[in-house]
Amino acid sequence: MAEESVSAAWRCAQQERVEQALSAWVSADAPAGLGEAMRYAVLDGGKRLRPLLTLAVSEAVEGAPEAAMRAACALELIHAYSLVHDDMPCMDNDVLRRGKPTVHVAFGEAQALLAGDALQALAFELLVPEDGSVVPAMSAQLCRQLACAAGAAGMAGGQAIDLASVGTALDRAGLENMHRCKTGALLQASVMMGAATGECDAQALRSLREYGGVLGLAFQVVDDILDVTTDSATLGKTAGKDAASDKPTFVSLMGLASAQSCADELLAQAHQALRQSGLAQTENLHALADWVGRRAS
Amino acid sequence: MAEESVSAAWRCAQQERVEQALSAWVSADAPAGLGEAMRYAVLDGGKRLRPLLTLAVSEAVEGAPEAAMRAACALELIHAYSLVHDDMPCMDNDVLRRGKPTVHVAFGEAQALLAGDALQALAFELLVPEDGSVVPAMSAQLCRQLACAAGAAGMAGGQAIDLASVGTALDRAGLENMHRCKTGALLQASVMMGAATGECDAQALRSLREYGGVLGLAFQVVDDILDVTTDSATLGKTAGKDAASDKPTFVSLMGLASAQSCADELLAQAHQALRQSGLAQTENLHALADWVGRRAS
């Protein structure tokens, strides 16, 4: 098999494992339809980029597999809850996500709100298994990393900046800051939580942090490019929304060609960071960077 | 001083400490107004029952003070976020809370949604301080307890049952189950997280769990009584709402007099559980039970 097929096969195998783990951990048992709404929000969709990053880094640092899968799924639950809340009428008011009606369309607004809330709690619950299959000190560190990335200094803060930025003249630094919080923090945490499942020297940690940071930004630049170049059916969500809602994007700020160069440059930095990490097994991390940079949806 | 004044003085002193800790930990720094919305949701209000329970239990088990205060505040943050989301138009659509306009009235719905989300994340962040002032294994256990109490099998699940119960003929068992999840789980967790900050034998743990359980139920029965016997100004929230919205309550189910007897009976059970705990310093826990059972708002 060519190198690219090998990494694609790894990716598919891991996506399958993540799907099974999520299906086992997000139970339908939650009362009064809540469990169904939670499963609807989480299962059968998404690229699982955050879990893949965590699992690939954990492999690279020879981390604990159980901790890695729990961290991977916890990150995906946080991501999923943020989409549920972000799609609600008082936020982006979106009706389509991963090619399906959004959670509030399918289950009502109140249930969507609660499903998001419960998914966030479940993310932390996953990190501290009752059976002791994750060392308590590792559980504690993973909880801290996830909480910091999800909270006011990370994802939630980035969404607040996003809300406040509609119709304003955010410059490139402002736009980067917003995305560094809104999506970057959780993507970087996906990398660093993978690292926390194993042993890692300071140089490797620095390099992985750099990799996670530039990859997060590259992800967003590509997102902005796809928003104007791709249709809703391919994206699985409403295309052209940013322009329609007058939100600043990398494309609106620097034009399509420069945005593409910027994405290429960030990808090159991601690969460079991995080469400087001193880690041996980084093929899947290199491949994930290319996957992020060259994706079509 | 009479015994009652001593416990009132302890309560006021602890409420003051909790207020200061919350003010220090819920920073105004969060971007784009998010920090202000979070502080508005948390500070200058509320009985701080959950923190008081945690601190009193921690004293009774000679627990670690730093862990106890962090657990106390984490519980209050979860409680505060649940109120913010619960008050939103898609849930209870309430405009008055603790005598002030609700968060979505003051800051808009989107910011209220994000503030609640960020408060939940902050709760877990508090439990794992970066400076190592809480032992990692204790942090991990506290995170697990909080996540379980807040999530689908606890508070969020209870709210889903509550949503589904409007206009239905919930019987007493169904009503108790709803409240055991909706408010009881977090109140019981307040007790058990206090216990987790110290050493506790099996008998004490069993008794504290019983105390937390019956106290949580007593709290709700009294809440239902106050909803029909007290005005909005005294409650600091809209009175008479349950009857108006056709929600089943202990009063609607068993009548006012029986609800009062039920509350008295639950209080007696709470005191009994404390006596059986084998713990020495339980005066403040006895006093908190009376405070819950005899409160006027």
Side-chain angles (χ1 to χ4, degrees):
Chain A
M1 276 200 284
E3 199 178 315
E4 200 155 316
S5 320
V6 175
S7 64
W10 177 86
R11 208 169 60 226
C12 290
Q14 301 308 316
Q15 283 170 327
E16 180 64 29
R17 288 181 61 221
V18 168
E19 202 68 27
Q20 284 174 7
L22 287 170
S23 184
W25 283 328
V26 184
S27 155
D29 289 347
L34 183 62
E36 287 149 50
M38 291 167 71
R39 287 175 66 84
Y40 182 89
V42 171
L43 301 178
D44 299 326
K47 289 176 282 290
R48 312 301 189 202
L49 172 58
R50 292 151 195 81
L52 291 173
L53 284 170
T54 305
L55 295 173
V57 173
S58 185
E59 278 187 12
V61 302
E62 297 177 12
E66 174 78 11
M69 183 54 82
R70 286 178 175 272
C73 290
L75 283 151
E76 189 67 12
L77 294 188
I78 294 288
H79 176 57
Y81 112 69
S82 79
L83 298 181
V84 173
H85 283 184
D86 202 35
D87 287 336
M88 286 178 66
C90 67
M91 298 279 289
D92 282 358
N93 193 20
D94 224 323
V95 297
L96 190 65
R97 170 72 68 183
R98 294 174 176 171
K100 301 187 297 186
T102 46
V103 176
H104 68 92
V105 170
F107 294 86
E109 280 185 58
Q111 195 74 294
L113 180 58
L114 290 177
D117 289 344
L119 287 171
Q120 178 165 198
L122 181 57
F124 291 98
E125 191 182 332
L126 281 192
L127 295 178
V128 198
E130 212 171 7
D131 61 10
S133 57
V134 179
V135 185
M138 193 180 284
S139 284
Q141 196 190 343
L142 292 170
C143 283
R144 179 167 183 87
Q145 290 173 300
L146 189 65
C148 291
M155 188 180 74
Q159 287 189 299
I161 300 173
D162 193 11
L163 273 181
S165 76
V166 174
T168 66
L170 222 52
D171 61 9
R172 178 161 170 189
L175 188 66
E176 282 196 15
N177 179 52
M178 173 180 93
H179 289 305
R180 202 168 279 129
C181 296
K182 194 184 166 192
T183 53
L186 203 62
L187 286 166
Q188 198 167 39
S190 305
V191 171
M192 301 313 287
M193 288 170 71
T197 65
E199 297 286 336
C200 225
D201 66 21
Q203 170 62 26
L205 278 179
R206 246 195 321 275
S207 300
L208 286 172
R209 188 170 290 116
E210 165 77 6
Y211 169 82
V214 294
L215 192 71
L217 214 48
F219 178 85
Q220 192 55 52
V221 176
V222 172
D223 219 51
D224 286 353
I225 293 170
L226 291 172
D227 188 63
V228 296
T229 58
T230 310
D231 59 71
S232 299
T234 308
L235 286 181
K237 62 181 179 181
T238 312
K241 270 213 81 170
D242 294 336
S245 60
D246 199 20
K247 278 190 182 181
T249 73
F250 287 101
V251 174
S252 71
L253 218 63
M254 53 174 63
L256 195 54
S258 296
Q260 189 58 62
S261 311
C262 172
D264 293 343
E265 170 61 24
L266 289 165
L267 271 194
Q269 289 175 31
H271 290 300
Q272 175 67 5
L274 289 177
R275 281 189 295 271
Q276 291 174 336
S277 68
L279 295 168
Q281 282 186 44
T282 55
E283 314 80 54
N284 289 324
L285 288 168
H286 280 292
L288 283 174
D290 288 333
W291 188 53
V292 164
R294 297 174 191 161
R295 73 191 199 275
S297 68
Chain B
M1 275 197 284
E3 199 178 315
E4 200 155 314
S5 320
V6 175
S7 64
W10 177 86
R11 208 170 61 225
C12 289
Q14 302 308 315
Q15 283 170 328
E16 180 62 31
R17 289 179 62 220
V18 168
E19 203 67 28
Q20 285 175 7
L22 286 171
S23 185
W25 283 329
V26 184
S27 155
D29 290 347
L34 183 63
E36 287 148 51
M38 290 166 73
R39 287 175 67 83
Y40 182 90
V42 170
L43 301 179
D44 299 324
K47 290 177 281 291
R48 311 303 189 199
L49 172 59
R50 292 152 194 82
L52 291 172
L53 284 170
T54 305
L55 295 173
V57 174
S58 184
E59 278 186 13
V61 303
E62 297 176 12
E66 174 78 12
M69 183 54 80
R70 286 178 174 272
C73 290
L75 284 151
E76 189 66 12
L77 295 187
I78 294 289
H79 175 56
Y81 112 68
S82 80
L83 298 181
V84 174
H85 283 183
D86 203 34
D87 286 336
M88 285 179 67
C90 68
M91 298 279 288
D92 281 358
N93 193 20
D94 224 322
V95 296
L96 189 66
R97 169 72 66 182
R98 295 175 175 171
K100 301 186 298 185
T102 46
V103 177
H104 67 92
V105 170
F107 295 86
E109 279 185 60
Q111 194 75 292
L113 180 58
L114 290 177
D117 290 344
L119 286 171
Q120 178 165 199
L122 181 57
F124 291 98
E125 192 182 330
L126 282 192
L127 295 177
V128 198
E130 211 170 9
D131 62 9
S133 57
V134 179
V135 185
M138 194 180 284
S139 284
Q141 196 191 342
L142 292 170
C143 283
R144 177 165 185 88
Q145 289 173 299
L146 189 65
C148 291
M155 189 180 74
Q159 287 190 299
I161 300 173
D162 192 12
L163 273 180
S165 76
V166 175
T168 65
L170 221 52
D171 61 8
R172 178 160 170 188
L175 189 65
E176 282 196 14
N177 178 51
M178 173 181 92
H179 288 305
R180 203 168 279 129
C181 297
K182 193 185 167 194
T183 53
L186 203 62
L187 286 167
Q188 197 166 39
S190 305
V191 171
M192 301 314 286
M193 287 169 71
T197 66
E199 297 286 338
C200 227
D201 66 22
Q203 170 61 26
L205 278 179
R206 247 196 320 275
S207 300
L208 287 172
R209 187 170 290 115
E210 166 76 6
Y211 169 81
V214 292
L215 193 71
L217 214 49
F219 177 85
Q220 192 56 51
V221 176
V222 173
D223 219 52
D224 286 354
I225 293 171
L226 291 172
D227 189 62
V228 295
T229 59
T230 310
D231 58 72
S232 301
T234 308
L235 286 180
K237 62 181 179 180
T238 313
K241 270 213 79 170
D242 294 337
S245 61
D246 199 20
K247 278 190 181 180
T249 72
F250 287 100
V251 174
S252 72
L253 217 63
M254 52 173 65
L256 195 53
S258 297
Q260 190 57 63
S261 312
C262 172
D264 293 342
E265 170 61 25
L266 289 165
L267 270 195
Q269 289 176 30
H271 290 299
Q272 175 68 5
L274 289 177
R275 282 191 292 273
Q276 292 176 336
S277 69
L279 295 168
Q281 284 185 42
T282 56
E283 313 82 53
N284 288 323
L285 288 168
H286 281 292
L288 284 174
D290 288 332
W291 187 54
V292 163
R294 296 174 192 162
R295 74 191 199 275
S297 68

